[in-house]
Amino acid sequence: MNLPVWTVLPLFQSSPRELVGMVRESEALGLTGVVATDHLAGWRRPTSPVLEATAALGMVAAVAERRVGSLVLQAALRSPSYTADVAGTLAAICRAPPLIGLGVGDSRSRNEGDRLGISQPAFPERITLLRETIAAVRARTPGIEVWVGGWSREVREVAAELADGWNAWGGKPANFEAAVDQMKKLNPSVSISWGGLLDTACSVGTLRRTLLRRVEAGAEALVLALTPPRVATLRRWAPAIFCQRSLQNGADH
């Protein structure tokens, strides 16, 4: 088994130093690249610090040797042309082709926006914005890789029609397997990825089985966040949990 493995940048903090360390460590481990989520408030408490996604991507793109991307930028937070400029800027800075993951937001996004006085459009409008953003990104930077993230049927339909890949975050293995089957019927060539939070309070075997179940269900790439989200966590746990040899060993046993 040989598949791309990405890790998530630790943006829920006030210092960017950890981001550079995460890039260096992920590259030393041979991972595919790093991705940034798109949030406006702290993870556990709304008042906790959070680094803005596009600014953080620009910084890590300047130092990364491997791939950098978003998973996912919220289409409703920025105009399609603005997001297209973000993608084009990343493509100009990055040494390797960037990944642009896009989505429509969820209940957490809505709560964050409400706290900051940013209203979230209705779901149909967000789907329209997602379509317009994909078109703008592709027009600005032809050939750039675009993923769409989200579980809803409408989002998956957009992914199958317009994107190179679809990402599911979290969820039960059976639901993921069913969604993968539906996606492949819509577009057999679309790339399928699964992302999730891995709590290192669990055993290595448990975490590895979590990944293997998603791979067996159809994941062709993994996007993973380890807790606590620090370089030291990645250094200690990644080789045992999701580097290729570990996954292969888990599959063989």
Side-chain angles (χ1 to χ4, degrees):
M1 175 171 49
N2 186 22
L3 74 168
V5 178
W6 302 71
T7 192
V8 178
L9 290 167
L11 298 187
F12 293 104
Q13 57 173 313
S14 58
S15 172
R17 183 177 303 175
E18 197 80 13
L19 305 189
V20 176
M22 186 69 77
V23 170
R24 300 298 191 213
E25 189 63 32
S26 69
E27 292 179 345
L29 290 165
L31 303 186
T32 303
V34 296
V35 297
T37 56
D38 191 13
H39 290 284
L40 304 174
W43 180 252
R44 298 190 183 280
R45 293 182 299 171
T47 56
S48 297
V50 60
L51 297 173
E52 198 278 329
T54 61
L57 282 171
M59 186 192 75
V60 299
V63 301
E65 297 292 336
R66 295 196 176 205
R67 300 188 70 187
V68 170
S70 62
L71 198 71
V72 292
L73 294 181
Q74 299 179 48
L77 278 184
R78 305 165 187 86
S79 69
S81 61
Y82 188 101
T83 302
D85 284 344
V86 170
T89 301
L90 282 177
I93 297 173
C94 290
R95 294 172 177 83
L99 168 69
I100 302 300
L102 301 169
V104 298
D106 53 17
S107 59
R108 180 183 177 90
S109 307
R110 183 175 61 253
N111 292 337
E112 291 175 357
D114 289 345
R115 285 194 291 266
L116 296 174
I118 302 172
S119 60
Q120 190 177 79
F123 184 72
E125 184 178 348
R126 283 183 278 142
I127 290 292
T128 298
L129 283 169
L130 177 61
R131 288 178 170 275
E132 292 174 350
T133 301
I134 295 172
V137 167
R138 292 205 184 281
R140 173 71 165 78
T141 312
I144 196 167
E145 186 175 5
V146 175
W147 289 6
V148 166
W151 278 96
S152 74
R153 175 183 57 81
E154 293 87 348
V155 167
R156 285 187 278 117
E157 288 174 352
V158 172
E161 179 185 350
L162 300 176
D164 303 297
W166 170 68
N167 177 265
W169 187 269
K172 296 180 179 179
N175 293 342
F176 178 64
E177 186 173 11
V180 170
D181 183 64
Q182 293 166 4
M183 286 295 299
K184 288 300 185 179
K185 289 177 180 177
L186 291 171
N187 181 356
S189 67
V190 71
S191 176
I192 304 292
S193 64
W194 180 83
L197 189 69
L198 301 182
D199 186 351
T200 56
C202 299
S203 70
V204 169
T206 296
L207 296 178
R208 200 160 54 200
R209 284 191 294 273
T210 296
L211 302 185
L212 286 168
R213 290 187 69 183
R214 269 60 179 198
V215 172
E216 290 166 356
E220 299 161 339
L222 299 171
V223 185
L224 307 171
L226 293 174
T227 61
R230 294 290 182 266
V231 173
T233 308
L234 186 68
R235 182 182 301 120
R236 179 181 177 185
W237 293 96
I241 298 173
F242 57 76
C243 283
Q244 298 298 339
R245 183 178 298 176
S246 297
L247 288 175
Q248 182 63 60
N249 289 342
D252 292 341
H253 294 86

